[in-house]
Amino acid sequence: MRYNEYFRSRLADLQDEGNYRVFIDLQRRRGAFPEAVQTDGAARRDVTIWCSNDYLGMGQHPDVLAAMHDAVDRCGAGAGGTRNISGTTHDHVLLEAELADLHGKEAALLFTSGYVSNWAALGTLASEIPGCIVFSDALNHASMIEGIRHSRAQKVIWKHNDLEDLEAKLAAADPDAPKLIAFESVYSMDGDIAPIKEICDLADRYNAMTYLDEVHAVGLYGPRGGGIAEREGLMDRLTVIEGTLGKAFGVVGGYIAASAELVDFVRSFASGFIFTTALPPAIAAGAAASVRHLKASNAERDLQKTRVAQLRERLDAQGIPHLPNPSHIIPVMVGDPVKCKFISDTLLEEFGIYIQPINYPTVPKGTERLRITPSPVHSEADLDHLAQALETLWARCQIARMPMAAQ
Ligand SMILES: Cc1ncc(COP(=O)(O)O)c(C=O)c1O
């Protein structure tokens, strides 16, 4: 086989389908987020980022930066080993305690990312519990899908957020089989939220475990940032809560929080936990500072809600279609891949606004969109600039507006 030719032809296919991913080369500036500098060949351009998952700007928070600097000065760079072989530092232990407390669970376990935590925890539970059947929401994230697939356990996909379908599928399964219902709280592309209580009720009725991915909710919802399950008083009803330290907490890493036995089980059997170098202590220290800060402070969450509402109001006033949902994610619907890419490129080049276009296969064809995530560090002037830029481009591209009555 001519390997490089093969790679080129597959990449050309992606380009022909309009699915080839182009990364924007950004330099974040300390303390200045959402402002950044984009490098494009020899050119440099100031841009405002509107599509980041650093939802609250915690990646620039002084407490987080100070904790990381301090840990580098105390401990140096890397952890020096896997968790089992010399890589468990006191900063990891403190962070796990902080996370268990955040979710009201007995224990927590850190992974190198949210992706790895889903892949390893779901993969381990589903493969190591004999005969386990996994009931997976149809829109679950790739990391959950891959973990379940890797386990080789029986998988039953239920229609997205559809309790009737979930119940029918639970009822049809062997009543004695161990069961695990895997789902998310906030779904990242549509910003809709799962009926967590009702899913827990079904889990109780059919003696199933529940595994909730709160990646797009931790830090953001609940009085201490414990996520939607905290906001709704449901944390004790979930078997496993999974989260990330890379989005609202602004650093990197993933985790599960659960009973002491379950966490010890995953710690003991999960290859994706055991056979990889532990996160650097400075990462653990920075993440712990972020979690601690957001347990005590609602200021970031409150201002984020205000900014989300303000942008929705401006979009409504202009008739720019966006999916109504109860979360902080604003999907502005373009409905055409070429226009979506054009708008994104033009926002960057003419207006210094960076919003990555979201096209198929990430979202279904015909629902191409700009996924906008307003944060407390966007100013009202930033909002005005964005709204005016979108207005200009909507007119230029002649995209349908929402009728005012339907808004
Ligand atoms: C629902 C969901 N779960 C897990 C992940 C992975 O988290 P991380 O970025 O920390 O790897 C993502 C990433 O975007 C996600 O959207």
Side-chain angles (χ1 to χ4, degrees):
M1 182 185 227
R2 293 177 186 278
Y3 298 110
N4 280 335
E5 257 175 43
Y6 173 75
F7 299 144
R8 266 197 303 275
S9 84
R10 291 291 303 275
L11 291 168
D13 290 347
L14 277 184
Q15 260 157 345
D16 292 346
E17 295 156 6
N19 293 330
Y20 183 73
R21 293 171 207 262
V22 179
F23 296 163
I24 305 290
D25 175 346
L26 295 170
Q27 267 182 63
R28 302 181 97 199
R29 286 197 302 238
R30 183 161 68 100
F33 181 70
E35 307 306 324
V37 176
Q38 183 214 352
T39 303
D40 187 3
R44 286 161 66 81
R45 174 188 293 134
D46 288 334
V47 296
T48 305
I49 304 174
W50 276 98
C51 57
S52 174
N53 285 339
D54 185 356
Y55 290 128
L56 299 176
M58 291 303 289
Q60 305 290 335
H61 194 282
D63 289 1
V64 175
L65 302 193
M68 293 184 76
H69 281 296
D70 171 64
V72 169
D73 291 344
R74 275 189 291 112
C75 310
T82 63
R83 288 293 298 273
N84 187 39
I85 306 178
S86 87
T88 296
T89 72
H90 194 53
D91 290 295
H92 295 92
V93 175
L94 291 179
L95 175 55
E96 285 176 340
E98 203 68 73
L99 293 166
D101 170 75
L102 176 67
H103 295 292
K105 297 288 183 194
E106 290 171 346
L109 192 68
L110 271 174
F111 298 82
T112 45
S113 72
Y115 187 103
V116 174
S117 59
N118 274 334
W119 183 81
L122 278 171
T124 301
L125 291 170
S127 66
E128 296 291 333
I129 300 175
C132 185
I133 307 174
V134 185
F135 295 81
S136 178
D137 184 285
L139 292 192
N140 274 343
H141 186 255
S143 53
M144 301 169 85
I145 295 169
E146 290 298 336
I148 298 164
R149 183 179 297 162
H150 176 73
S151 78
R152 301 203 180 137
Q154 185 187 338
K155 173 164 94 165
V156 177
I157 299 173
W158 47 289
K159 285 186 203 148
H160 176 56
N161 278 349
D162 186 327
L163 294 165
E164 260 178 48
D165 192 49
L166 174 59
E167 170 138 39
K169 286 179 168 150
L170 285 166
D174 174 359
D176 295 327
K179 300 178 185 69
L180 176 60
I181 304 173
F183 62 115
E184 302 179 21
S185 57
V186 177
Y187 285 83
S188 74
M189 288 301 145
D190 287 353
D192 56 333
I193 295 181
I196 301 175
K197 178 185 171 299
E198 290 75 8
I199 292 171
C200 290
D201 291 344
L202 287 177
D204 289 349
R205 199 167 309 146
Y206 293 90
N207 192 24
M209 296 185 291
T210 46
Y211 183 106
L212 177 62
D213 174 317
E214 289 251 41
V215 157
H216 294 279
V218 289
L220 299 167
Y221 298 91
R224 297 202 313 156
I228 302 289
E230 187 200 15
R231 185 185 75 182
E232 298 180 1
L234 295 169
M235 291 197 297
D236 62 328
R237 299 202 54 200
L238 291 148
T239 315
V240 181
I241 297 176
E242 182 271 343
T244 183
L245 302 165
K247 301 192 195 295
F249 292 125
V251 189
V252 72
Y255 64 91
I256 57 166
S259 68
E261 291 87 346
L262 189 147
V263 166
D264 203 15
F265 187 82
V266 174
R267 186 186 72 89
S268 304
F269 289 105
S271 150
F273 172 79
I274 298 170
F275 297 108
T276 189
T277 299
L279 288 170
I283 297 291
S290 186
V291 173
R292 261 195 306 275
H293 177 85
L294 289 175
K295 278 180 182 173
S297 168
N298 279 311
E300 293 80 5
R301 286 187 278 275
D302 289 346
L303 190 50
Q304 184 205 32
K305 284 194 190 81
T306 304
R307 293 289 180 254
V308 170
Q310 286 171 327
L311 181 58
R312 285 189 195 279
E313 269 165 32
R314 281 167 170 73
L315 295 173
D316 285 346
Q318 295 168 188
I320 293 183
H322 55 100
L323 280 188
N325 67 45
S327 76
H328 59 285
I329 293 164
I330 305 184
V332 167
M333 306 308 281
V334 180
D336 177 285
V338 177
K339 285 183 180 170
C340 197
K341 172 95 172 64
F342 172 81
I343 293 176
S344 170
D345 289 347
T346 315
L347 281 171
L348 196 62
E349 283 154 24
E350 270 183 42
F351 299 92
I353 288 171
Y354 169 41
I355 308 175
Q356 188 71 18
I358 311 278
N359 284 351
Y360 177 83
T362 308
V363 294
K365 284 184 181 159
T367 72
E368 293 79 6
R369 65 195 69 184
L370 302 171
R371 176 183 179 274
I372 307 184
T373 52
S375 80
V377 291
H378 288 103
S379 66
E380 289 201 52
D382 291 332
L383 274 174
D384 290 338
H385 181 55
L386 172 64
Q388 183 253 316
L390 288 173
E391 172 63 36
T392 306
L393 292 179
W394 239 251
R396 195 181 297 169
C397 295
Q398 298 182 336
I399 302 174
R401 308 240 178 190
M402 279 195 297
M404 299 304 280
Q407 288 166 27

